[in-house]
């Protein structure tokens, strides 16, 4: 039981910021207090400016909604718009370092943004073009926030999915976690119709729809969503072990590589060796190594060596055609 009123209010506010409706009895159980105390605490939050909406019924329910003004989050309008735009841009392109926590933050912020600020965010994003790295597919931020909300609220999610060979299907799932690999977003979920755990590429998901049906989270076999995704990718794709040497110091090469690569090993002060595995296309790996912008030599595998050779020849022909 939480006897400290300020601490209890913060805990209550944290629960309400999850995009779902909370029955009064469930809030009372979570906080270890009576329903009467919950009602008093809700009134205190309203006095502080938080727009908490109540619904009628046998148990009653509460939800934090968008009000006429931003609730006291210590953000002014310009800061709120800047954060929302930044999170939307990062989430939409699976930018390195933007993980599930950032998507949850975006879901919470957009839940309480007043209409006038939400319009500014949408207008600014529509008028802005981002220079993408080309390493991953673009994703609508709304798709990620819908998924994050269903994960946080333990709510079943229905969506349309297109497999790698283009086969369309409809899925009903119990979403577990969103995982970013830096290039792409993946949804780890329990597929109710297949009666098994699955991973879904988020850029292949359309029409995500929260069903409103709650569920009790199942235990993931692999222990963590990251490990489950890794095992799933290894099962589905051919894995290549690669090795390349660069005519540049290890720290220079490391600074030009995404963080999901292993750290280069110094050979001497002027060169280094990069080793690792790739479960994606060797074509992408060839381009990524070239983007380091330093002389390099590929030792293995033969598929990567051939790909780098073909890429170099194709680029040379393109440059010669321009000169002619």
């Amino acid at each position: 039981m939480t006897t400290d009123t300020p601490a209890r209010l913060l805990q209550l506010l944290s629960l309400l910021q999850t995009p779902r409706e909370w029955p009064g009895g469930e809030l009372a159980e979570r906080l270890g207090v009576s329903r009467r105390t919950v009602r008093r605490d809700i009134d205190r939050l309203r006095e502080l400016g938080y727009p908490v909406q109540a619904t009628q019924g046998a148990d009653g329910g509460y939800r934090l909604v968008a009000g006429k003004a931003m609730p006291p989050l210590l953000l002014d309008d310009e800061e709120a718009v800047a954060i929302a735009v930044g999170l939307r841009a990062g989430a939409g392109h699976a930018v390195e370092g933007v993980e599930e926590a950032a998507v949850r933050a975006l879901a919470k912020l957009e839940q309480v943004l007043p209409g006038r600020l939400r319009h500014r965010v949408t207008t600014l994003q529509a008028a802005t073009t981002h220079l993408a790295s080309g390493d991953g597919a673009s994703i609508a931020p709304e798709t990620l926030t819908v998924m994050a909300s269903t994960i946080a609220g333990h709510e079943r999610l229905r969506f349309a999915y297109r497999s790698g060979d283009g086969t369309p299907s409809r899925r009903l799932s119990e979403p577990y976690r969103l995982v970013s690999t830096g290039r792409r977003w993946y949804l780890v979920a329990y597929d109710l119709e297949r009666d098994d755990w699955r991973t879904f590429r988020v850029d292949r998901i359309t029409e995500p729809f929260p069903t409103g049906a709650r569920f009790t989270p199942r235990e993931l076999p692999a222990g963590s969503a990251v490990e489950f995704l890794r095992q799933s990718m290894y099962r589905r794709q051919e894995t290549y072990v690669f090795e390349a040497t660069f005519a540049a110091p290890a720290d220079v090469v490391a600074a030009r590589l995404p963080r999901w690569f292993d750290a280069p090993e110094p050979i001497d002060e002027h060169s280094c060796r990069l080793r690792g595995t790739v479960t994606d296309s060797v074509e992408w790996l060839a381009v990524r190594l070239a983007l380091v912008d330093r002389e390099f030599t590929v030792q293995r595998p033969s598929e990567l060596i051939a790909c780098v050779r073909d890429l170099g020849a194709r680029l040379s022909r393109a440059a010669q055609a321009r000169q002619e």
Side-chain angles (χ1 to χ4, degrees):
M1 176 179 178
T2 306
T3 56
D4 185 337
T5 300
R8 189 177 66 246
L9 286 175
L10 288 175
Q11 186 179 355
L12 174 59
L13 182 59
S14 178
L15 291 172
L16 291 175
Q17 284 181 330
T18 301
R20 55 164 290 194
E21 183 172 298
W22 289 87
E26 187 175 350
L27 287 176
E29 182 179 353
R30 288 288 192 102
L31 299 174
V33 297
S34 66
R35 298 188 186 190
R36 182 179 179 183
T37 299
V38 169
R39 288 194 294 270
R40 286 203 304 264
D41 287 346
I42 291 292
D43 288 338
R44 290 190 180 98
L45 288 179
R46 287 170 176 160
E47 291 171 0
L48 291 172
Y50 290 93
V52 182
Q53 184 182 74
T55 57
Q56 301 299 320
D59 196 22
Y62 302 95
R63 177 191 293 270
L64 192 64
V65 298
K68 295 182 179 179
M70 282 290 297
L73 297 176
L74 301 180
L75 295 173
D76 60 29
D77 287 358
E78 299 301 325
E79 291 169 336
V81 170
I83 291 173
V85 170
L87 288 173
R88 275 182 165 220
H93 293 280
V95 171
E96 178 183 350
V98 179
E99 307 294 345
E100 183 188 351
V103 177
R104 291 200 310 270
L106 177 59
K108 289 180 180 180
L109 181 59
E110 292 200 338
Q111 181 193 3
V112 295
L113 272 180
R116 58 188 172 82
L117 296 187
R118 188 177 292 110
H119 175 71
R120 286 177 59 186
V121 171
T122 303
T123 301
L124 182 57
Q125 188 181 35
T128 305
T129 299
H130 297 276
L131 180 61
S133 65
D135 284 349
S138 177
I139 300 169
E142 293 80 3
T143 298
L144 290 172
T145 54
V146 166
M147 293 180 184
S149 298
T150 57
I151 291 169
H154 301 157
E155 183 177 355
R156 287 180 177 175
L157 177 71
R158 190 182 299 278
F159 55 87
Y161 191 69
R162 174 181 52 81
S163 63
D165 61 6
T167 303
S169 61
R170 303 288 301 184
R171 304 297 181 97
L172 178 63
S173 70
E174 295 178 352
Y176 184 78
R177 287 290 186 276
L178 282 166
V179 180
S180 171
T181 64
R183 295 180 60 227
R184 294 191 179 99
W185 282 100
Y186 290 86
L187 172 68
V188 176
Y190 191 85
D191 191 321
L192 292 169
E193 296 176 358
R194 274 87 175 158
D195 196 25
D196 199 5
W197 288 94
R198 292 286 191 273
T199 59
F200 303 95
R201 269 180 50 174
V202 176
D203 59 295
R204 293 177 179 169
I205 291 176
T206 56
E207 305 171 40
F209 176 74
T211 65
R214 308 293 172 184
F215 66 89
T216 300
R218 305 169 190 259
E219 184 177 353
L220 189 65
S224 74
V226 172
E227 182 59 28
F228 182 80
L229 175 63
R230 183 179 293 113
Q231 293 177 9
S232 177
M233 292 177 70
Y234 279 137
R235 286 194 300 268
R236 290 199 307 265
Q237 301 177 355
E238 186 173 0
T239 300
Y240 298 96
V241 177
F242 70 88
E243 180 179 344
T245 55
F246 284 86
D251 59 341
V252 172
V253 174
R256 294 172 175 265
L257 288 171
R259 65 175 182 174
W260 59 84
F261 277 91
D262 292 336
E265 307 167 4
I267 298 175
D268 53 40
E269 61 181 5
H270 302 296
S271 62
C272 64
R273 179 179 292 106
L274 180 67
R275 293 190 177 102
T277 58
V278 60
T279 55
D280 213 322
S281 66
V282 290
E283 289 82 3
W284 169 82
L285 180 58
V287 173
R288 201 63 195 77
L289 295 178
L291 288 176
V292 174
D293 196 25
R294 291 293 187 272
E295 295 293 327
F296 70 97
T297 304
V298 177
Q299 275 72 42
R300 57 174 175 163
S302 59
E303 293 86 352
L304 179 59
I305 294 174
C307 185
V308 169
R309 184 185 300 116
D310 292 344
L311 177 62
R314 192 155 54 246
L315 293 175
S316 295
R317 289 194 298 272
Q320 292 170 1
R322 176 61 178 172
Q323 291 175 354
E324 296 172 357

